[in-house]
Amino acid sequence: MTPYIGIIGGSGLYQMEGLTIREERTIETPYGPPSDAFRLGELGGVPVAFLARHGRHHAISPSEINFRANMWALKSLGVEQIVSVSAVGSMKEAIQPGHLVLIDQFIDRTQSRPSTFFHDGIVGHVSFADPICGTLAARLADAATSVPTTVHRGGTYVCIEGPMFSSRAESRLYRSWNVDVIGMTNYQEAKLAREAEICFATIALATDYDCWHQSEADVDAASVVAVIQQNVRHAQHLIRAALPSLPRKRDCACAAALRHAFMRPLSEATPAAHARLRPILQPYVAG
């Protein structure tokens, strides 16, 4: 069965509880190797492809993740919807460690990451005003009532380069922007998913208050890991609850994000660009 749902596991989520694995598949891409082999199977009867973003042994730094390879591979597998799980720091008092946040906006503060498929012979200008698929996010929000923790609906995720955590001055600056959480990975995933016409939603797992909160201990890896274990259980619960309601046939804008993205005919793009982007451009290229 084609795995039309992709699950990307972040820090602490290296395997999906309840996933019946039928196959582990290594995929070669024009951008190099993805983070890990894809575990293909069924979760509650729904065909799923699972990928550990940092590798199953957490050996890949946020800045070293091959985001284009990950998204290209998921597209080539037939994935149409992605639920991405990401550990984050909370930038607001109301979002306590242990809470989940269903993100709806992003701010990018990374510096050195390729974040588009459209380069070297082909240019695509894709709308990204609303980075999260509204339909997918709504299904997750509906399922959130069954999760035994607070789930915040909507929030802005500021993405930093990492792997180092923020300075106190940076943390206070981001707070002044009224962001909700801070993380290191999801912006590139959201952009590339949109370019690949894949629906995308983020479940952010709040693990700490970053370093802006002076009455709390400064963030470190040990304190994050302690909260992640509980958060991962809640995220898996939410995903399992939402999967049966995800539409098999899409009618959202994500499914046709490239329809008006090109200023010149695709027939004029270079053969190399066509070969590189075959899974993504296929609906728009004759023959």
Side-chain angles (χ1 to χ4, degrees):
M1 299 176 69
T2 299
Y4 70 95
I5 304 297
I7 300 171
I8 300 177
S11 299
L13 183 52
Y14 309 116
Q15 58 187 0
M16 188 69 199
E17 183 179 318
L19 175 62
T20 301
I21 300 174
R22 305 295 185 193
E23 177 188 358
E24 286 206 15
R25 189 179 303 178
T26 300
I27 297 177
E28 297 295 327
T29 86
Y31 301 98
S35 295
D36 207 324
F38 290 84
R39 281 169 268 185
L40 309 179
E42 295 179 11
L43 183 60
V46 177
V48 163
F50 179 84
L51 176 67
R53 177 188 295 118
H54 298 279
R56 65 191 71 190
H57 303 297
H58 204 105
I60 304 172
S61 163
S63 298
E64 296 173 330
I65 295 169
N66 194 338
F67 292 103
R68 290 189 295 187
N70 290 349
M71 286 296 162
W72 191 99
L74 285 163
K75 181 71 173 181
S76 74
L77 285 169
V79 166
E80 295 182 340
Q81 302 174 62
I82 291 173
V83 178
S84 177
V85 180
S86 179
V88 298
S90 169
M91 302 301 284
K92 292 186 175 177
E93 193 87 47
I95 301 173
Q96 300 173 18
H99 288 186
L100 309 185
V101 184
L102 301 178
I103 299 303
D104 59 7
Q105 283 293 333
F106 290 95
I107 295 174
D108 185 27
R109 292 287 294 165
T110 63
Q111 302 162 359
S112 60
R113 303 179 186 183
S115 60
T116 181
F117 289 116
F118 298 119
H119 64 99
D120 191 23
I122 188 165
V123 179
H125 301 282
V126 179
S127 175
F128 200 56
D130 297 303
I132 297 298
C133 175
T135 301
L136 184 52
R139 297 294 186 274
L140 289 170
D142 290 344
T145 56
S146 69
V147 179
T149 191
T150 300
V151 181
H152 300 266
R153 303 185 182 192
T156 297
Y157 177 129
V158 60
C159 189
I160 64 172
E161 188 70 36
M164 185 176 286
F165 298 115
S166 299
S167 71
R168 212 177 303 281
E170 288 169 328
S171 191
R172 289 169 179 162
L173 173 65
Y174 303 144
R175 281 258 296 167
S176 75
W177 294 351
N178 198 35
V179 303
D180 296 272
V181 300
I182 184 168
M184 301 177 185
T185 57
N186 265 205
Y187 182 79
Q188 284 71 32
E189 289 178 352
K191 282 192 71 179
L192 292 161
R194 181 61 53 85
E195 289 187 346
E197 297 187 330
I198 301 174
C199 300
F200 183 88
T202 293
I203 303 173
L205 317 182
T207 61
D208 58 83
Y209 277 121
D210 205 52
C211 60
W212 63 268
H213 201 308
Q214 303 242 210
S215 65
E216 296 282 332
D218 292 342
V219 60
D220 59 36
S223 61
V224 166
V225 168
V227 181
I228 279 179
Q229 294 172 352
Q230 174 183 322
N231 269 356
V232 162
R233 289 194 296 272
H234 292 153
Q236 294 190 95
H237 182 135
L238 175 53
I239 292 169
R240 288 194 299 269
L243 278 185
S245 71
L246 300 186
R248 186 63 183 92
K249 186 174 182 179
R250 300 185 295 162
D251 59 2
C252 57
C254 314
L258 298 182
R259 185 171 293 165
H260 304 294
F262 303 103
M263 291 188 173
R264 67 171 184 163
L266 286 176
S267 59
E268 297 179 10
T270 66
H274 277 285
R276 185 176 67 243
L277 298 179
R278 185 172 291 110
I280 295 168
L281 297 181
Q282 190 275 329
Y284 302 97
V285 178

